[in-house]
Amino acid sequence: MHRLRNNLAAFIFALLAVCLSPFICMAQTAAQTPLPTPPIQRPANPKLPTLFVVGDSTANNNANGALGWGDPFASFFDSSKINVLNRARAGRSSRTFLTEGLWDKVLQDLKAGDFVLIQFGHNDGGPLDTERARGSLPGLGEETKEVTKPDGTKEVVHTFGWYNRKFIADVKAKGATPVVLSLTVRNIWKDGKVERGSGQFRQWAEEIARAAGVEFVDVTNIVADKYEALGEEKVKPLFGPDHTHTSPAGAEFNAASVVEGLKRLKGCPLCPYLSEAGKAITPGADANVTPRARRPLPEPRDPKLPSLFLIGDSTVRNGQGDGGGGQWGWGEPLVDFFDSAKINVVNRAVGGLSSRTYLTGGHWERVLAMLKPGDFVLMQFGHNDAGPLNDNSRARASIRGTGEESEEIDNLLTKQHETVHTYGWYLRKFIADARAKGATPIVCSLVPRKIWKDGRVARDTDSYAGWAAEVARREKVAFVDLNEIIARRYEELGQERVEPLFADEHTHTSRAGAELNAAAVVAGLKAIKGDPLKKYFSAKAKEVKAYKPSKSK
């Protein structure tokens, strides 16, 4: 009986093994087989123009409840006018999007009249030859490195800039339009501020677009500004299981932000294709992209180096800083007077702003987020600080003087309640904030206008130039008297020779005028006790002599 039971048990076990073996094999096969590659989207109507999205999982992701912005993005466009194809692929960098053949598949479908949105960076900072072996070389140069990948194959790896330049060149060669996007924002906060870009990829993307002469959408700053307006707690539901990948609500949020950025582009080339949802999005002005300065403001090229930040108005940085209308601020040519291997010169001045609106518009807050010990802040305000404190057009004036007076207003322009302070109060705040960051503030008086009286240039010593000097003296900070330095130089040249130095009636300089003013800044900096910026000057600056005030000054 015992033997019979054993035989019966063995028979049942064998029978079960035979019956279940197909299912066991299926389970093993499923565990070992990678997830199927998502199908390549094809144009629904090849006769229509197509808008391609290429990037990583922040644009195309359906794992663990997350969603990339490239999927809801299509709903902002009219499918009867344009195809929107999300060709982004999770886990890819600019390098692997090319080497895995994903880019070739885009090119196969790309035709003249199409558009390609290019967004990479999140995965480009990884290892070159281990793990996923997807990292690109950092930077924008032409350097290369041959690596051996985990599978034993060799590959020549290029820089992040090289891969993006190839995408841009290939798109142009097809008669299509490339648009570079900075990367999306991760849910990483510090002191109430969200991280603005992983590493330097946001800055590199902007530089790539500018050098290639193509449009750039600063998704990083558009989204970051909105996140900070919402606050950390309200942003949490916009993300999925980690700090990088968005929830469906977050994907919709980012998609709308991309559309907002596209609507800010000159001529808005994609506006004719928008759906009603896309038309409803209003391109607001964030702290880095204004009607007068659409191009994102620069950031330190090398964060490891000390930085010289310039803050001010259009006499420091006019428009987009590219000489539009023949007008230049002195901050652009000032860069050439410094050694870029030793210091970053970061021109964060914004046209049309006063000391007051530079603060209230969030521009100073953005500078503070980048400011670190050992940096310098060169400030010049005054040209826009006069005028109405409250109106429907600019509402930018500060209260005259350097005292502690203030005035409560309901701002007609911003629709916000505001306490307006004196010109001196705003300068003191910039000085105190810079010092609190361990940086060195330097005050400049405003550059003079081309206004002559009895053969002499009109000074502002009784107003903004004098008030700037007073604040610098009382706060015991360095002062560069540009109002006097430049006025004296104009008088040496004479009215006829000064005329070509201006690009308008009397305020905004031509390139030659901006270069003269930049040299005057250097002369003033050299006159500061201890010459704190001496070790950062370039060979060009060495030719500039230090300013020597007259005995009466």
Side-chain angles (χ1 to χ4, degrees), residues 11 60 125 161 194 245 267 290 354 364 390 408 488-489 499-500:
F11 173 75
N60 193 349
V194 73
H245 301 102
T290 71
S354 62
W364 178 238
N390 197 10
E408 300 287 328
R488 283 173 55 178
R489 180 59 177 146
E499 197 64 32

Side-chain angles (χ1 to χ4, degrees), residues 55-58 89-96 120-127 132-136 160 183 198 201 244-245:
D56 51 41
S57 58
T58 59
R89 184 66 61 82
R92 273 55 177 192
S93 62
S94 62
R95 165 190 168 188
T96 54
F120 289 99
H122 281 295
N123 299 321
D124 278 83
R132 297 191 184 186
R134 62 185 179 181
S136 57
F160 177 74
L183 67 175
S198 176
F201 292 105
T244 302
H245 301 102

Side-chain angles (χ1 to χ4, degrees), residues 261-374:
L262 291 171
K263 293 182 79 171
R264 296 179 184 181
L265 300 182
K266 185 177 181 180
C268 193
L270 284 160
C271 278
Y273 307 107
L274 293 172
S275 65
E276 291 304 314
K279 292 176 184 177
I281 293 177
T282 302
D286 64 49
N288 211 30
V289 185
T290 71
R292 297 196 61 182
R294 176 173 49 82
R295 177 178 293 163
L297 297 173
E299 296 179 1
R301 289 179 61 88
D302 185 349
K304 296 178 182 177
L305 295 177
S307 294
L308 170 60
F309 289 93
L310 314 180
I311 65 173
D313 51 40
S314 57
T315 61
V316 184
R317 183 181 190 267
N318 192 285
Q320 298 183 54
D322 58 0
Q327 299 180 5
W328 291 87
W330 57 257
E332 304 306 321
L334 184 71
V335 174
D336 296 333
F337 289 93
F338 290 86
D339 186 340
S340 62
K342 296 179 180 178
I343 194 169
N344 306 298
V345 178
V346 189
N347 190 357
R348 301 287 301 192
V350 180
L353 299 187
S354 62
S355 61
R356 166 190 166 190
T357 52
Y358 195 88
L359 175 66
T360 60
H363 297 272
W364 178 238
E365 187 175 33
R366 188 75 57 78
V367 171
L368 285 178
M370 296 182 282
L371 200 61
K372 65 183 186 301

Side-chain angles (χ1 to χ4, degrees), residues 243-264:
H243 58 45
T244 302
H245 301 102
T246 50
S247 65
E252 181 87 14
F253 186 98
N254 283 355
S257 297
V258 173
V259 174
E260 179 180 337
L262 291 171
K263 293 182 79 171
R264 296 179 184 181

Side-chain angles (χ1 to χ4, degrees), residues 116-129:
V116 182
L117 305 188
I118 304 167
Q119 183 189 59
F120 289 99
H122 281 295
N123 299 321
D124 278 83
L128 300 179
D129 53 4

Side-chain angles (χ1 to χ4, degrees), residues 47 51 58 140 143 221 231 242 271 279 343 398 485-486 534:
K47 295 181 180 180
L51 171 58
T58 59
L140 307 176
E143 54 267 37
N221 280 323
D242 56 37
C271 278
K279 292 176 184 177
I343 194 169
S398 56
I485 297 172
I486 296 171
K534 178 179 180 180

Side-chain angles (χ1 to χ4, degrees), residues 293-499:
R294 176 173 49 82
R295 177 178 293 163
L297 297 173
E299 296 179 1
R301 289 179 61 88
D302 185 349
K304 296 178 182 177
L305 295 177
S307 294
L308 170 60
F309 289 93
L310 314 180
I311 65 173
D313 51 40
S314 57
T315 61
V316 184
R317 183 181 190 267
N318 192 285
Q320 298 183 54
D322 58 0
Q327 299 180 5
W328 291 87
W330 57 257
E332 304 306 321
L334 184 71
V335 174
D336 296 333
F337 289 93
F338 290 86
D339 186 340
S340 62
K342 296 179 180 178
I343 194 169
N344 306 298
V345 178
V346 189
N347 190 357
R348 301 287 301 192
V350 180
L353 299 187
S354 62
S355 61
R356 166 190 166 190
T357 52
Y358 195 88
L359 175 66
T360 60
H363 297 272
W364 178 238
E365 187 175 33
R366 188 75 57 78
V367 171
L368 285 178
M370 296 182 282
L371 200 61
K372 65 183 186 301
D375 287 348
F376 300 83
V377 179
L378 196 59
M379 62 188 78
Q380 183 221 274
F381 291 99
H383 281 292
N384 299 320
D385 277 81
L389 264 65
N390 197 10
D391 60 11
N392 290 304
S393 58
R394 292 190 172 182
R396 63 184 181 182
S398 56
I399 298 173
R400 292 173 60 83
T402 62
E404 292 297 332
E405 311 94 279
S406 64
E407 184 174 332
E408 300 287 328
I409 67 169
D410 290 317
N411 195 309
L412 296 173
L413 184 64
T414 65
K415 311 302 181 186
Q416 301 291 321
H417 187 76
E418 181 186 352
T419 303
V420 181
H421 301 273
T422 65
Y423 172 76
W425 186 95
Y426 291 107
L427 293 188
R428 286 194 294 274
K429 177 166 177 56
F430 298 146
I431 291 168
D433 288 349
R435 281 173 161 167
K437 282 279 191 172
T440 301
I442 301 172
V443 176
C444 298
S445 57
L446 72 173
V447 296
R449 288 186 168 97
K450 188 186 63 179
I451 299 175
W452 296 79
K453 185 177 181 180
D454 300 328
R456 286 177 56 81
V457 174
R459 270 72 160 176
D460 293 272
T461 50
D462 294 333
S463 59
Y464 296 100
W467 295 333
E470 180 185 339
V471 170
R473 182 173 61 255
R474 290 185 176 181
E475 297 300 315
K476 295 181 172 55
V477 299
F479 176 63
V480 176
D481 194 358
L482 290 183
N483 198 252
E484 179 64 24
I485 297 172
I486 296 171
R488 283 173 55 178
R489 180 59 177 146
Y490 287 171
E491 290 168 357
E492 291 170 0
L493 292 172
Q495 287 185 238
E496 184 177 347
R497 293 173 65 187
V498 167
E499 197 64 32

